[in-house]
Structures are given as structure tokens and as C-alpha cells.
Amino acid sequence: MMEHLRQTRSPGIRVQLTLWYTAIFALLILLFSLILYTTLQAFLASGVDSALQLRAQQIASGVSSESGKIVIQDVTGELPGLDAIATPSEPGKGTPTTNQTGGPNGTGQYGTQSDVNFGTLVRILNGTGQTTYISPAFHALSLPPNSFTNSLHGIPWRDTITAHNGQAVRVYSVALSDNGTVFGVLQVGESLAQLTATLQSITIALLVITPFVLLLGAIGSYWLAKRAFRPVLHLTRTTREIKAGDLHRRVPVPRARDEVYELALTFNEMIGRLDQAFTQQRRFVADASHELRTPITVIRSITDVALEEPLGFDECVEALRDINAETERLSHLINDLLVLARADEEQMPLEQELVRLDLLACDIAATMEPLAMERGIKLQLQMLSPASVFGDTARLILMIMGLVDNALTYTNAGGVVTLGVEVHGVLARLVVRDTGIGIAERDVAHIFERFYRADSARSRLASGSGLGLAIADWVVRAHGGSITVKSQIDQGSTFTITLPLAPTHTGARQ
Ligand code: ADP
């Protein structure tokens, strides 16, 4: 099922990318086609207009006005039917004068000449709007009246007209003048069949080519997406192969410093952190098991001996006392382990109350005094500045007592243990100083680790678990503070706890 999900998910992005690429590509082709079509249309249309204007100029050069009559000379040789309407009074001159009653009907008379697509489209009108000459094909056109009036007033008129057969025709209408005097209007037209055909073939070409181009584009995009995602897939495969047991492995980092490179680095950093956490956890479990086994082994051996041979009353009491001591040690250990386990899961709620650190130090010194006296150590208070912090009184007491207990444990008789509270700006500092055995430099960096005990401590106090400072470190950090140590072998150690002062510190002092 998982395998199936994985397989369906990874090509998804590639397909999505391909679809996006293809959609953008299609949009670009559409835009390009539109621009190409409209530009070409405008270009061809302006070509037709220029050609019409030129033709009109040529025809107009053969048209003149002689005593009110329009005389047409076929300069371009493309005015069909001009001979048929020529006035026989001027035979053979080729400059016939048209009659004024209108041109020949033309339709059917001249074959293709009457077709707007092939025939000549010319009409000449006199100043009153009467047709002097009309080519057969021109009959298929119905021009609006303003085509004549505009031209007569010196404004050339041009428009696209639909002929009777539905064909679009471009018509140009211009005034005929002689020495500045307008005597008629010349109208020339040209079928736009050629232009339409050209545009149509371009449209067909685009319609045929576009799907192929899109298909090629889609295949190309899919291939590219597949290629781009190959390192990611490789990364996924390798990451999947890494099990909890082999967290020392790392994913391959590509040479190119791209996004995949960053991803691989991030993965490796994450695996590194996991590896560290796993190692710590494993060591913690191993150390905890070891520490738990010691008192149990002791209890086992006491009971074994007791069961083997009957004990006297005093021996029985002795055995029970030993068992009791070991059980107490076990119970301490389990308590400490529970505190740390809950702290790891962040399930240890802390009270938030105003605590006077200096008063706390006073009380703790009084409580620990008998123990100090028993060990021949002088426990003294020094520089007790009033300092209030927000926190959990019970946890803070246990933490400070643990530090004082350590100081008393690792200091020989005749030594001095000092407890002090100072205020520095917004910080309160609690100092526990001793003149004891000190801590070797190589151990200082590790004493806050769980179960870590310096060799000198092992020989001194067999029952220590090495969890006290780890718990103290957690308590201080949970209060937003920090704990540091300065120590010198055989000179003594100074533990400094820095905690943020409560905002109401000044108020609390009174
Ligand atoms: P434990 O005291 O049970 O061994 P802790 O976590 O309290 O465990 O302390 C860790 C180690 O730090 C001790 O084993 C000891 O080596 C060292 N240590 C702590 N406090 C002192 C001190 N005041 N003087 C010298 N060494 C100390």
C-alpha cells in the first residue's frame, strides 16, 4: 500500500509540471499565432490599398473632360467593354467618348470578366453621379452613396464591400480632376479572395503544426522534469534505505550547488542530529539499566546468603538494613530517571511563583548544617543580596540542595563550602563554592551529562548516580537560566547559577 502511494505520488509532480509547461506553451503559441495573423492581415491589406491607389492613378491619367464630356483612354488596357460603349464619331483613335446613359450591363456578356474575383472592377462617374463607364464585374458591387459624395469633395474613400456573391472586395474611390476642377469620380476595386486564401492557408498551417509542437513540447517538458527530479528520487531512495540502526550513513551530496545540494545537506544534518539523539538515548538506557542492576544485585546477594543459612536476629536486622539502604538508593534513582524522562517529554509542569533566592539559600544552609558538621566542613553564607525570581520553589530547593550536597561530598573535612546570592543588573546569581577536590579539566565539559561521573568521584562516593547535575541543568534551563562551573583540581569548585530576576523584584524586596 505504502509502495503504491509512493509510486503514484512521485510522478504526480512531473505530470503536473508537464501540464503547466504545456499550458504555458499553448498560450504562447496562441499569442504568437494571433500576432502573426493580425500583422500579416494588416500587411496584406495595406498592400492591396497601395496597389489600388496606384491603379487608380494610372486609370485616372487616361480620363479627361472635354467640354463637359468625359473622355476615357484605356491606358492600362484593362477596361473591358470600353470599345462597345465608345462613340463611333471618333473611330480608330482609341480615345472613345462614352455615352452618358450608363455603361453596359455586362453580366454574362464577358464571361469571367463579370466575376469579382477575376474581372476588372472599375467605375467612372461624372460630376452628377451618372455612370460613364462600368466594368462588367463592378455590377456585383453596391457602394454606399458617400463613396461618391466624399470623393467628389476631395476626400478619397476606401472600404471593404461584400459583393453579391459574398466575396469581400476592397474599393477605392477618388475624384477625377482637370487643372483643379473636379469633373467625376473614379472607383477601382479588387477582390480580397487572394488575401483571404493566404490568411486561410496560414491558419490551417498553424492549426496543423500547433498540436505537433505542443506534443513535442509536452514530451520535452516531461523528459526535463524527469531529469530534474532524478537526483531527488535518488535522495528519496537512499533516505528510505537508512534505517534506525544505520544512522551513521549519509545521503550522497551532489557536486552542483543547487537546490538538491541544499536538500541533501539538510537531510544529512537531520540524520546527524537523529544519530546523536539515538546514541544518547541508547547510552541513557544502557547506563540506566547498569545503575538499576547494581542495587538489585546487592539485594539479591544479601537475600541469597540469608536464605542459604539461617541467620541470627542481629544478622537478620543487619541484612534488612542493607536491603533497606539499597532500596532507598533504587528509589532515588528511579525518581531521578522519571524526572529526566518527563523533562525530555516536556511533561514536567513548573510552578510559577515569586521565590526569594536569598531566603531559600538561608533555609538550605540551615537544613544542611548538621550534615556539614558531621563531615567536619564549614558551611557559610556570604553576600546574600535580596533577589526574587519566578519559578518552582520545590524544584529550586532540590536543585540547590543537590549542589550543596555535592560540595559537601567532594570536600574533605576542614574544608569550606560557601553559599551566596548576588544581583547583577536583571540577573540573580547563586554561587555554591567549595574548597574540595576539584574537577579535572577533561571532566568539566561532561559533568552535566547524564550518568557522567569523574573517576575521582567514583572512588569517593560509590553510591552516586551521576544524574544530579543533569537534573540541576534541566531545572535551571527550564527557569530560563544557565549553570556554569569553574574548578581546579585540589583547589575547589564554584558552581554559578544565573536566573532572570522577577519583574516585581524591587517590590518583593520590601
Ligand atoms: P553524583 O554526584 O551522583 O556523582 P552529579 O551529577 O551530582 O552525580 O555529579 C556529576 C559528577 O560531577 C560527579 O560524579 C563529580 O565527578 C562531579 N562533581 C559534581 N560536583 C562536584 C564538586 N562540588 N566537586 C568536585 N566534583 C564534583
Side-chain angles (χ1 to χ4, degrees):
M1 181 66 183
M2 268 305 281
E3 199 57 37
H4 172 71
L5 275 179
R6 277 176 197 147
Q7 271 168 8
T8 49
R9 209 176 297 148
S10 40
I13 298 175
R14 280 178 278 169
V15 172
Q16 272 181 38
L17 268 180
T18 309
L19 287 178
W20 272 108
Y21 281 147
T22 315
I24 292 169
F25 209 33
L27 211 71
L28 285 178
I29 291 180
L30 188 77
L31 209 70
F32 166 77
S33 305
L34 273 176
I35 292 172
L36 180 78
Y37 188 90
T38 44
T39 315
L40 201 71
Q41 193 183 33
F43 178 73
L44 291 176
S46 83
V48 169
D49 280 348
S50 315
L52 273 178
Q53 213 170 327
L54 193 72
R55 218 153 116 231
Q57 271 172 14
Q58 285 172 341
I59 295 169
S61 68
V63 184
S64 56
S65 169
E66 277 176 24
S67 49
K69 283 188 176 184
I70 291 180
V71 179
I72 305 170
Q73 200 178 352
D74 191 358
V75 184
T76 55
E78 54 168 343
L79 301 179
L82 192 65
D83 289 344
I85 59 163
T87 312
S89 61
E90 291 178 82
K93 272 194 86 180
T95 54
T97 308
T98 62
N99 63 23
Q100 308 257 319
T101 53
N105 187 320
T107 317
Q109 200 178 339
Y110 304 102
T112 54
Q113 287 179 352
S114 61
D115 188 334
V116 288
N117 285 340
F118 304 104
T120 313
L121 294 163
V122 177
R123 181 164 72 167
I124 297 168
L125 303 119
N126 66 11
T128 56
Q130 278 183 314
T131 301
T132 306
Y133 166 77
I134 183 163
S135 66
F138 210 100
H139 287 285
L141 304 178
S142 306
L143 264 56
N146 68 338
S147 66
F148 172 75
T149 47
N150 278 13
S151 311
L152 203 64
H153 290 105
I155 309 160
W157 177 93
R158 56 164 67 87
D159 205 353
T160 304
I161 299 293
T162 309
H164 296 161
N165 66 351
Q167 177 60 55
V169 175
R170 190 75 178 161
V171 179
Y172 178 64
S173 182
V174 69
L176 288 165
S177 58
D178 193 5
N179 287 332
T181 316
V182 176
F183 60 86
V185 167
L186 168 66
Q187 294 177 329
V188 284
E190 187 171 325
S191 155
L192 293 179
Q194 189 67 38
L195 183 142
T196 317
T198 310
L199 288 176
Q200 253 173 15
S201 37
I202 292 238
T203 311
I204 289 168
L206 285 173
L207 284 177
V208 171
I209 291 169
T210 303
F212 282 109
V213 174
L214 278 183
L215 188 72
L216 277 178
I219 293 171
S221 330
Y222 187 76
W223 180 77
L224 266 181
K226 207 171 151 184
R227 218 180 116 86
F229 272 92
R230 204 176 297 153
V232 179
L233 287 181
H234 186 52
L235 208 67
T236 315
R237 213 170 298 135
T238 324
T239 314
R240 209 179 287 155
E241 278 166 20
I242 297 176
K243 304 276 180 320
D246 51 9
L247 281 173
H248 57 276
R249 279 184 62 181
R250 296 289 179 270
V251 296
V253 179
R255 242 174 285 151
R257 290 177 174 250
D258 51 14
E259 288 85 348
V260 183
Y261 171 86
E262 289 292 324
L263 191 65
L265 278 191
T266 315
F267 261 141
N268 282 343
E269 277 167 23
M270 191 190 70
I271 298 169
R273 281 199 299 272
L274 277 177
D275 192 17
Q276 210 182 348
F278 257 77
T279 311
Q280 271 176 9
Q281 200 65 27
R282 258 200 303 263
R283 217 179 61 201
F284 182 62
V285 171
D287 289 344
S289 315
H290 177 80
E291 291 295 327
L292 287 171
R293 209 174 50 188
T294 316
I296 288 172
T297 314
V298 175
I299 294 171
R300 246 329 266 286
S301 63
I302 296 170
T303 48
D304 278 351
V305 172
L307 288 173
E308 250 171 42
E309 48 195 88
L311 298 177
F313 179 76
D314 289 344
E315 288 166 321
C316 245
V317 170
E318 180 73 13
L320 283 175
R321 203 168 280 142
D322 288 348
I323 290 173
N324 194 273
E326 287 305 319
T327 325
E328 200 180 314
R329 191 180 156 200
L330 206 57
S331 138
H332 265 134
L333 193 62
I334 291 170
N335 261 344
D336 286 354
L337 284 174
L338 270 176
V339 169
L340 285 172
R342 288 208 192 116
D344 282 348
E345 284 182 22
E346 291 171 10
Q347 278 182 357
M348 192 72 112
L350 285 179
E351 296 288 330
Q352 283 297 319
E353 54 209 2
L354 210 55
V355 187
R356 279 282 297 265
L357 266 189
D358 50 319
L359 300 184
L360 222 60
C362 250
D363 290 349
I364 289 168
T367 313
M368 304 292 277
E369 181 60 30
L371 185 68
M373 272 179 59
E374 192 184 296
R375 294 187 182 171
I377 299 166
K378 190 178 170 198
L379 178 58
Q380 61 183 27
L381 289 164
Q382 196 186 44
M383 266 197 51
L384 277 188
S385 309
S388 300
V389 296
F390 261 123
D392 191 315
T393 317
R395 294 260 160 236
L396 289 172
I397 289 176
L398 280 178
M399 188 260 297
I400 301 167
M401 277 179 81
L403 290 179
V404 177
D405 189 49
N406 271 355
L408 294 174
T409 305
Y410 301 112
T411 302
N412 293 323
V416 181
V417 172
T418 316
L419 198 55
V421 175
E422 303 159 15
V423 171
H424 287 271
V426 290
L427 298 172
R429 259 189 214 150
L430 185 133
V431 182
V432 182
R433 189 175 296 121
D434 66 55
T435 54
I437 59 168
I439 307 162
E441 217 178 298
R442 64 170 191 279
D443 293 323
V444 169
H446 300 288
I447 55 167
F448 294 102
E449 288 172 13
R450 294 168 188 192
F451 295 112
Y452 190 87
R453 306 191 68 213
D455 289 340
S456 50
R458 283 178 203 280
S459 53
R460 195 173 182 92
L461 180 72
S463 62
S465 67
L467 289 178
L469 284 185
I471 294 177
D473 183 45
W474 166 73
V475 172
V476 175
R477 275 191 289 115
H479 281 81
S482 62
I483 179 166
T484 54
V485 60
K486 270 195 184 139
S487 186
Q488 232 180 332
I489 281 283
D490 294 332
Q491 297 291 311
S493 315
T494 306
F495 284 82
T496 309
I497 290 157
T498 311
L499 290 171
L501 280 172
T504 50
H505 171 64
T506 25
R509 228 186 271 183
Q510 286 125 29

